[in-house]
Amino acid sequence: MALNQLEQSQVKGLQEFIEEHTEWQKPSDWVDIRSGALPNSAYYLVAHSAPTESGGTYTVETYPQFPILPTISNSGTYDVFVDGIKIATTASATDTTLDWGTLYTAGTVQTVYTTTHPSELVYHVVRITPTVSTNTITALRQPDVTSNTSYGALWVHFSLTNAINLANFLGSDGSPFYRNTLCEAVTANDNELKLSGSSRALSRYSGALKKLPILNLEANDNNVNFYRAFQNSGIKEIVFKNGTIQQDQIFAGSQVEKIITENAAVKISGRTFENCKQLKSLPNLTFDSSAYLAFSKNNSLENVVIDASEGKSIVNITLTGEATDKATGVKGLVVSNEAPFTSSSSPQLNVSYTGLNRAALVNLFKSMPTVSAGQVCDITGATGVDDLTASDIAIVTGKGWTLTR
Amino acid sequence: MVYKKIQNPEGDYKDVQNERWDVLEAHEAWTPQGKNVGWDAFESLEEAASYYGLTYDPFIPEEELDNQEEID
């Protein structure tokens, strides 16, 4: 029996409620690397296709290698354990590459764990810890590659008390690039991880990631590098604590729906939120010395009014939807009457295809500064564009702006 | 539609001296001097660019030249 419109909306609402309130569930055939995690360690659950043997030599076709590149304090060495067996001791900032075929051939590892999720795979528990227990893991990443590469991390768990730099942790810098598309969760003891850096940490990551711990910034407040940290990633919810996040394109192109700040704020910088098509609400924002404010194609925002009146250094604001998919949830914007709006890119203020009605547009016009270099404000396709009167338009043209629609 | 060319070092159009420009497009432009003052009427963006002696050459920021596979 088909559902009527009311029933359909009720079911949709229930589905959204369930998705919002369901924590990530560990697949039943994954070892729980949180349980009994040893201190001062990072754990990976790493998968690959079942090895095949011929003439005593093993080969692995899918995800054949898994490299690890930690930095250890005091330039100490680190130990690598696979399924509880120590297989390497390596110098800090030197990578250890787990070549599964080689390890199977040597008899160093064998198949202990298998999983049917996300598909029929073999997996191992990899543990990294400083050789000297008083040292710490200060950074963890994977090395740059010479061609686009995918690795088989399923889950990463941090059992640390110190802050760690996760730049290029699951996604890479530049091109060619690497990514860990199977990884569903990054967890930490007490669900909180102290960060000292995270540039491109999940960049180019896509799809599976559902779980991040609370990211605590207090170790390096306002200096934790988040450049493109979550760009194009699939993570839907991110929680920041105790600090200010600022960098260009932090969330650009990602699937993030919600950014929660606990005693924290996101400082707008460049294309911080560009093309975040699933983002429903904005976190606590600051503008301070921000020059560019770019919110293009954030078409899922709901009932958002942006108060950029403290942004006295802003040179360009792009807060737009698309002609075929308007950002109707963007309801308002006010700016600083001291902002220079002197970017060479025109329009210097763009609220096209947004939900700003006549009252919101007039409110924006009243907040805008007087300019003298032919600056342009584009309101094409905004909700209230056809309702503006000549005197409404004169508010902004009287300040030296050209208004286009 | 009305159009105006604006010099912009990061614009997506180039002139014969390889200077970069933007070409702005609007249904109407309300300027401090009046409606559409300083803007030119054309049938299309392409016609406007041709009139202005500009060719389309999208600007790629330096930081993205090594990241051409950014979009999956």
Side-chain angles (χ1 to χ4, degrees), chain A residues 76-189:
Chain A
T77 59
Y78 65 96
D79 298 331
V80 181
F81 295 79
V82 177
D83 300 329
I85 300 168
K86 184 163 79 172
I87 65 157
T89 296
T90 310
S92 172
T94 303
D95 70 274
T96 300
T97 296
L98 303 174
D99 186 301
W100 299 115
T102 301
L103 291 172
Y104 270 85
T105 302
T108 308
V109 301
Q110 55 186 323
T111 296
V112 179
Y113 306 110
T114 60
T115 182
T116 57
H117 176 86
S119 59
E120 301 283 338
L121 293 169
V122 166
Y123 72 88
H124 304 275
V125 177
V126 177
R127 173 180 166 237
I128 307 156
T129 189
T131 308
V132 175
S133 63
T134 50
N135 287 338
T136 56
I137 307 171
T138 58
L140 185 60
R141 57 165 291 178
Q142 291 178 308
D144 294 335
V145 293
T146 56
S147 62
N148 297 345
T149 305
S150 293
Y151 298 124
L154 295 174
W155 179 9
V156 187
H157 178 73
F158 291 99
S159 181
L160 306 174
T161 56
N162 59 286
I164 187 168
N165 187 330
L166 292 184
N168 298 303
F169 167 53
L170 288 177
S172 71
D173 186 8
S175 179
F177 59 87
Y178 66 80
R179 54 187 183 183
N180 289 267
T181 56
L182 300 182
C183 191
E184 290 191 5
V186 177
T187 56
N189 290 352

Side-chain angles (χ1 to χ4, degrees), chain A residues 293-294 308 314-319 333 335 341 347-351:
Chain A
L293 199 159
I314 290 177
V315 299
N316 189 296
I317 292 180
T318 301
L319 178 63
L333 169 69
V335 301
F341 285 101
Q348 283 74 15
L349 204 169
N350 191 343
V351 292

Side-chain angles (χ1 to χ4, degrees), chain A residues 148 174-175 177 179 200 204 227-228 231-232 248-249 271 344-346 393 397 400-405, chain B residues 6-10 22 24-32 39 61 63-64 66-72:
Chain A
N148 297 345
S175 179
F177 59 87
R179 54 187 183 183
R200 298 183 190 264
R204 294 190 180 83
Y227 179 66
R228 298 188 179 186
Q231 186 180 30
N232 296 331
D248 188 27
Q249 301 180 66
R271 292 172 284 171
S344 56
S345 293
S346 195
I393 294 171
T397 57
W401 289 81
T402 292
L403 189 69
T404 59
R405 59 182 183 181
Chain B
I6 305 279
Q7 194 158 31
N8 178 9
E10 297 181 355
D22 280 327
L24 304 184
E25 178 182 45
H27 292 284
E28 45 189 24
W30 291 93
T31 80
W39 291 61
E63 62 183 17
E64 290 184 5
D66 292 330
N67 295 283
Q68 289 299 290
E69 295 186 69
E70 197 72 51
I71 306 300
D72 292 320

Side-chain angles (χ1 to χ4, degrees), chain A residues 226-345:
Chain A
F226 276 91
Y227 179 66
R228 298 188 179 186
F230 307 101
Q231 186 180 30
N232 296 331
S233 84
I235 187 69
K236 296 194 183 301
E237 182 176 298
I238 305 170
V239 182
F240 296 105
K241 180 176 173 180
N242 296 348
T244 302
I245 310 105
Q246 62 168 336
Q247 277 297 341
D248 188 27
Q249 301 180 66
I250 300 175
F251 310 104
S254 73
Q255 301 298 309
V256 67
E257 296 180 5
K258 188 185 296 185
I259 301 160
I260 298 169
T261 50
E262 299 178 8
N263 189 34
V266 177
K267 183 181 288 187
I268 299 296
S269 176
R271 292 172 284 171
T272 302
F273 292 103
E274 184 178 70
N275 201 18
C276 294
K277 293 207 168 200
Q278 309 300 323
L279 189 64
K280 293 185 169 58
S281 60
L282 294 175
N284 187 23
L285 301 176
T286 68
F287 298 90
D288 287 351
S289 60
S290 301
Y292 288 85
L293 199 159
F295 280 83
S296 62
K297 303 179 186 177
N298 294 326
N299 305 339
S300 293
L301 287 172
E302 297 173 352
N303 289 317
V304 163
V305 175
I306 296 177
D307 182 352
S309 57
E310 70 178 63
K312 297 178 182 176
S313 302
I314 290 177
V315 299
N316 189 296
I317 292 180
T318 301
L319 178 63
T320 61
E322 298 171 278
T324 53
D325 189 7
K326 283 179 61 171
T328 54
V330 175
K331 299 294 191 184
L333 169 69
V334 290
V335 301
S336 168
N337 63 8
E338 296 181 44
F341 285 101
T342 49
S343 79
S344 56
S345 293

Side-chain angles (χ1 to χ4, degrees), chain A residues 347-367:
Chain A
Q348 283 74 15
L349 204 169
N350 191 343
V351 292
S352 59
Y353 304 108
T354 59
L356 271 70
N357 60 15
R358 179 188 168 219
L361 287 170
V362 170
N363 215 26
L364 169 63
F365 297 163
K366 289 180 177 176
S367 72

